[in-house]
Amino acid sequence: MNERQEFDVVVAGAGPAGIAAACAAAESGAAVGLIDDNSEPGGQVWRRDRSHAPSQLARFWLNRLERASIHRFSQTRIVAATARSRVLVVEQPRGSFEVSYRKLVLATGARERFLPFPGWTLPGVVGAGGLQALVKSGLDVQGARIVVAGTGPLLLAAASHLRLAGARIQAIVEQAPLPSLTRFALQSARYGKAAQALGLGLDLIGVPLHVSSWIEAAEGARRVSAVRVRVLKKVKTYPCDYVATSFGLAPNIELPVLAGCEIEDGFVAVTGGQRTSVKDVYAAGEITGIGGVDSALAEGQEAGSGNALGADRWLPFKRLLHDTFNPRDELRSLAAPETIVCRCEDVRRSALDGMTCWREAKLQTRCGMGTCQGRVCGAALQFLNGWRNESVRPPLLPARVETLANPGRRSR
Amino acid sequence: MSASADVIVIGAGIVGAACADAIARDGLKVAVIESGAIGGGTTAACMGHIVVMDDSEAQFALTRYSSGLWHQLAAELPSEAEFTQAGTLWVASGEEEMAEARRKHAYYGKRGVDTEILDARALAEAEPNLRPGLAGALRVPRDSVVYPPWIARWLVERSGARVIHGEAVAASGTEVRLRDGTVCPAGAVVNATGVWAPRLTSSLQIQPRKGHLLITDRYPGFLRHQLVELGYLKSAHGHGSESVAMNLQPRATGQILIGSSRQLGVDSSEIEEHMLQRMLQRAMEYVPGLGQLPATRAWTGLRPCSPDNLPYIGPAAEDSSLLIAAGHEGLGITTSLATGTLIADLLLKRRPAIPAAPYFPGRVHAASH
């Protein structure tokens, strides 16, 4: 019965940034623990696909992780943290214990941002990443009609992946305007992304791509059967079986906030070598700014090794991504008064009229008080109303009362 | 301020809201000054337990009177207020506490409050998730549960009070000055700023007494009553620096709210692991099945604690035209409505339904240690 496990370096999150950090630290001789709540490493982007081999890059890093001497905690959730005592309380399906560190690397990644529109809670309307994850674990979309809508490079990646899985992509709906997309395409060539984009383009030949366009509503009785899309001044209706939405990513900054890290414009503030404002706490990957796999790997290696390796060369690309795919103002008015904003607690947009801040909305309407802890509606309301949820307290995720009562006790 | 109010209430917690409501019902024009969200201070951190207590005759009189006012209000409260007459079970772990349950039973009975003694078997039937081997309980069927922050807002809205968003930095019986320099004149002023009341009225002896709470996911029917250990009395009465007690509440949502902890003189808002752990361990000693329920949120709040555990209701010692409604410790929800009514009575020089003198702010200076 080991109540507390001790490591030189603990890495929170086993996506690309976390894997790179853990490998870099372990290869320099540190005792490393890598914590993730999934059963296998890879994070969202390298989630194991039942029907397709991993990409070359993913294979390289997953092999490297395999060879390194790293203690991997899978299906393990970090539910509490005290930066002062350098201890994390973690929970597994059958027990809980504490993990202590000298150095902590935060690589908690990002989640999909949902923006509410009429009908977004209908079954069949899903996050593009979520639908990809379902397909990777066996959901059959052969012949299914799918509209992919939202913004950002993930739209094309999702559409391509779903098409390869046999889906019939009805349309790709991108809210960004053509000039910024063109600029993005030209400039991203500098970051070695041109071939990637070209490949996706080839995969998607024949699929209608609407730019400066967005979903106005999803329709259907018991599940989605069609979407209405605003294309320039017209509205087009696409019958469909699924709507895969992706309105960009929201960083998972709950653990960094609890650890006391300074947050800047919604992301963890880092200085050279991926240092946060808290001594011996580092951050890498999407929590420091959305930048994709390559920047996450560079930052992870830097954070894990403690050496500056030039990860900051990705900063202009992160800015470019942000500037190109920042959701336009029109999307703020998609949700009607009766549209549900918080799906855990069934709070409609009109219920938030007159509320001045996130806290008031929570107290008066229960918005964000459900099991997702405001992870979905919080990101939406940050965009819709400019509200930020800055208070983070343990438990970070729902945890058994027993875990919080006796964090040092392993399973019974 | 062009349209000056008859009365300014500073603080829109449940106590300030109840004052505004009671004063407005007498036809006076009320303004409320609040620096944060309505019901967003201690009111948002409370359990919302409406409970008749008998620490002292004065406490009994106030809680009983106020509990009656809550039952009158209940008919008007919309469902969002979550008024539920769950009843309290004062749980006795052994014979000594059972004797206390019987004493309480006699005390309440003599004063016309219905209660019922449950033996070990009746207790197990009433609350199957309590551990076996408990001695019994006292059941107080009219005790209830509400959702305080929502009610605070509802009361403020009902009162028609003008809400001034700002931080009061000075208050007398005739005006309030805000941080931005604005001066708000009024016929009378009520300081209802709870744990922060001494900032405006320095003679008040109020200390923060920090508490932790934790709420679980929804398990409707897991508990039926508010459960409080009779050992709670020792914990709640003493002015020792730290204590915990089993205090569990079934919410209208089916969630279980777990309390309680007390730390005198602590005014930080962070979750303190050692207190959270002790509090949860205590709860699990009584209800072992709690351990397996998923906890969704924990938070803290500051009870405004006076040296004799009674609130300050009435004229301030230094300025009798300034009224105080603060220092309600852990009973602010229960006693808010009575406080509002007493304040309105004092303003209109009416004879109150219960003697008001035991709650006058001046008392502590005579009796204080």
Side-chain angles (χ1 to χ4, degrees):
Chain A
M1 191 141 120
N2 205 351
E3 298 189 340
R4 180 179 286 183
Q5 307 208 20
E6 294 173 8
F7 295 93
D8 298 325
V9 180
V10 167
V11 180
I19 290 173
C23 288
E27 287 160 10
S28 65
V32 180
L34 175 60
I35 303 174
D36 195 276
D37 64 352
N38 288 290
S39 49
E40 290 178 71
Q44 302 304 322
V45 62
W46 291 341
R47 188 180 288 278
R48 176 185 287 231
D49 192 337
R50 288 192 170 192
S51 47
H52 293 91
S55 71
Q56 209 181 335
L57 187 65
R59 222 160 39 229
F60 170 80
W61 279 100
L62 292 169
N63 286 338
R64 190 163 164 185
L65 176 66
E66 212 56 59
R67 284 195 308 272
S69 168
I70 292 169
H71 192 108
R72 272 163 33 195
F73 298 95
S74 59
Q75 290 186 282
T76 306
R77 292 171 145 198
I78 298 170
V79 298
T82 41
R84 243 174 292 150
S85 54
R86 302 186 184 212
V87 170
L88 306 174
V89 177
V90 302
E91 184 172 278
Q92 293 181 331
R94 286 155 169 274
S96 64
F97 52 98
E98 293 179 328
V99 176
S100 73
Y101 56 83
R102 291 167 194 273
K103 167 176 165 174
L104 176 65
V105 180
L106 301 166
T108 45
R111 55 180 175 263
E112 290 190 274
R113 174 161 61 183
F114 291 87
L115 296 185
F117 51 83
W120 76 287
T121 52
L122 280 173
V125 181
V126 289
L131 185 57
Q132 281 182 273
L134 288 173
V135 168
K136 285 179 179 179
S137 53
L139 175 74
D140 184 9
V141 289
Q142 191 75 38
R145 297 163 305 166
I146 303 180
V147 172
V148 182
T151 195
L154 294 180
L155 285 188
L156 298 185
S160 157
H161 175 247
L162 295 168
R163 197 181 203 200
L164 287 174
R168 293 186 299 176
I169 306 297
Q170 304 297 290
I172 298 169
V173 183
E174 164 65 65
Q175 59 92 38
L178 190 57
S180 11
L181 291 168
T182 311
R183 198 184 57 216
F184 178 78
L186 292 173
Q187 296 197 10
S188 60
R190 275 192 227 155
Y191 306 97
K193 304 270 185 186
Q196 212 177 321
L198 192 62
L200 291 176
L202 290 174
D203 287 344
L204 292 167
I205 283 176
V207 175
L209 169 67
H210 301 300
V211 301
S212 286
S213 305
W214 55 88
I215 292 188
E216 284 206 329
E219 294 166 345
R222 284 174 45 218
R223 60 173 288 131
V224 66
S225 57
V227 282
R228 279 187 297 152
V229 176
R230 159 83 39 186
V231 182
L232 300 172
K233 296 225 158 90
K234 281 185 278 192
V235 175
K236 277 177 96 92
T237 299
Y238 284 101
C240 60
D241 304 304
Y242 291 97
V243 182
T245 68
S246 174
F247 289 98
L249 299 173
N252 295 320
I253 57 170
E254 290 77 10
L255 177 59
V257 170
L258 192 63
C261 299
E262 201 175 292
I263 304 297
E264 225 173 74
D265 293 332
F267 294 94
V268 182
V270 288
T271 53
Q274 302 301 124
R275 282 181 180 78
T276 70
S277 60
V278 179
K279 191 171 183 302
D280 297 324
V281 178
Y282 294 70
E286 308 294 51
I287 53 171
T288 69
I290 304 301
V293 174
D294 299 305
S295 66
L297 287 168
E299 291 179 5
Q301 284 175 275
E302 211 168 281
S305 68
N307 302 318
L309 303 168
D312 52 0
R313 71 179 182 279
W314 290 100
L315 289 179
F317 180 67
K318 288 185 170 188
R319 261 197 300 276
L320 179 64
L321 263 178
H322 175 268
D323 293 348
T324 310
F325 298 108
N326 206 17
R328 60 172 65 214
D329 286 342
E330 287 96 325
L331 303 186
R332 288 196 176 89
S333 47
L334 288 185
E338 67 276 10
T339 303
I340 284 175
V341 175
C342 166
R343 57 198 304 177
C344 295
E345 297 287 339
D346 283 347
V347 180
R348 294 174 194 277
R349 188 174 197 182
S350 56
L352 302 177
D353 287 348
M355 305 284 158
T356 55
C357 64
W358 177 244
R359 178 169 161 73
E360 191 178 3
K362 275 172 83 167
L363 289 175
Q364 298 296 338
T365 69
R366 305 192 57 81
C367 186
M369 302 271 254
T371 42
C372 94
Q373 301 277 43
R375 280 173 170 75
V376 175
C377 61
L381 286 169
Q382 189 173 332
F383 173 69
L384 293 179
N385 294 1
W387 295 344
R388 284 230 164 112
N389 176 19
E390 261 140 32
S391 112
V392 176
R393 297 179 303 259
L396 284 172
L397 294 164
R400 288 185 295 273
V401 169
E402 186 180 61
T403 296
L404 301 168
N406 299 301
R409 183 175 301 170
R410 213 169 172 149
S411 49
R412 299 187 160 188
Chain B
M1 207 170 73
S2 53
S4 75
D6 296 325
V7 182
I8 289 180
V9 177
I10 314 169
I14 191 78
V15 172
C19 289
D21 181 57
I23 296 164
R25 270 186 285 132
D26 278 321
L28 298 176
K29 209 164 76 180
V30 186
V32 171
I33 298 176
E34 172 57 56
S35 60
I38 291 177
T42 303
T43 300
C46 291
M47 287 189 112
H49 185 199
I50 299 184
V51 55
V52 178
M53 295 281 285
D54 62 346
D55 287 8
S56 61
E57 287 292 343
Q59 190 193 55
F60 177 83
L62 190 66
T63 54
R64 186 204 182 176
Y65 173 41
S66 206
S67 170
L69 295 175
W70 274 108
H71 279 273
Q72 284 172 29
L73 185 69
E76 300 168 52
L77 284 172
S79 62
E80 291 93 331
E82 297 181 4
F83 183 94
T84 316
Q85 194 181 321
T88 304
L89 283 184
W90 292 93
V91 178
S93 60
E95 263 321 301
E96 192 190 339
E97 286 177 6
M98 207 54 208
E100 170 63 11
R102 285 191 206 97
R103 186 203 62 76
K104 259 172 118 63
H105 177 62
Y107 182 98
Y108 283 57
K110 212 160 105 189
R111 290 160 180 79
V113 174
D114 251 7
T115 65
E116 177 191 359
I117 291 282
L118 305 188
D119 63 13
R121 211 166 89 192
L123 176 59
E125 268 166 30
E127 292 291 351
N129 282 308
L130 275 168
R131 76 166 163 84
L134 295 164
L138 178 74
R139 182 162 172 264
V140 188
R142 273 172 72 81
D143 283 355
S144 306
V145 172
V146 293
Y147 181 59
W150 195 91
I151 297 175
R153 198 166 80 116
W154 183 79
L155 286 171
V156 168
E157 278 173 7
R158 183 170 94 154
S159 76
R162 192 157 77 90
V163 178
I164 301 166
H165 292 282
E167 189 194 344
V169 292
S172 70
T174 52
E175 64 177 37
V176 180
R177 203 172 70 241
L178 303 184
R179 164 96 40 217
D180 67 5
T182 311
V183 174
C184 311
V189 174
V190 182
N191 178 359
T193 56
V195 74
W196 300 280
R199 289 188 193 169
L200 296 172
T201 311
S202 59
S203 63
L204 293 174
Q205 291 187 34
I206 295 177
Q207 266 196 296
R209 203 173 206 193
K210 180 174 172 178
H212 288 70
L213 285 173
L214 178 140
I215 198 161
T216 69
D217 209 342
R218 301 178 178 210
Y219 288 86
F222 184 83
L223 295 180
R224 298 159 188 169
H225 301 81
Q226 174 121 12
L227 304 183
V228 191
E229 63 167 290
L230 273 163
Y232 170 89
L233 300 169
K234 288 179 218 148
S235 153
H237 291 187
H239 274 227
S241 57
E242 285 188 352
S243 66
V244 297
M246 183 276 286
N247 190 340
L248 303 172
Q249 180 183 80
R251 298 294 316 170
T253 53
Q255 294 169 289
I256 308 296
L257 186 52
I258 306 177
S260 60
S261 75
R262 297 178 132 74
Q263 293 165 277
L264 190 66
V266 178
D267 66 357
S268 69
S269 66
E270 62 175 337
I271 303 277
E272 292 172 70
E273 273 182 40
H274 77 286
M275 289 307 291
L276 185 68
Q277 287 166 15
R278 280 183 58 192
M279 180 181 93
L280 298 178
Q281 285 164 9
R282 188 70 180 161
M284 285 165 59
E285 283 171 28
Y286 281 85
V287 182
L290 269 182
Q292 293 309 310
L293 303 191
T296 56
R297 275 175 301 120
W299 65 91
T300 62
L302 303 177
R303 304 175 183 93
C305 181
S306 71
D308 61 0
N309 292 323
L310 287 175
Y312 297 117
I313 307 167
E318 57 265 66
D319 178 355
S320 63
S321 59
L322 172 66
L323 293 169
I324 307 298
H328 292 66
E329 223 257 308
L331 290 171
I333 308 305
T334 298
T335 56
S336 57
L337 297 185
T339 301
T341 308
L342 289 176
I343 289 287
D345 291 341
L346 288 165
L347 274 169
L348 294 166
K349 313 223 180 313
R350 255 190 323 238
R351 187 188 163 82
I354 59 169
Y359 319 108
F360 280 0
R363 75 181 186 275
V364 167
H365 303 293
S368 105
H369 39 244

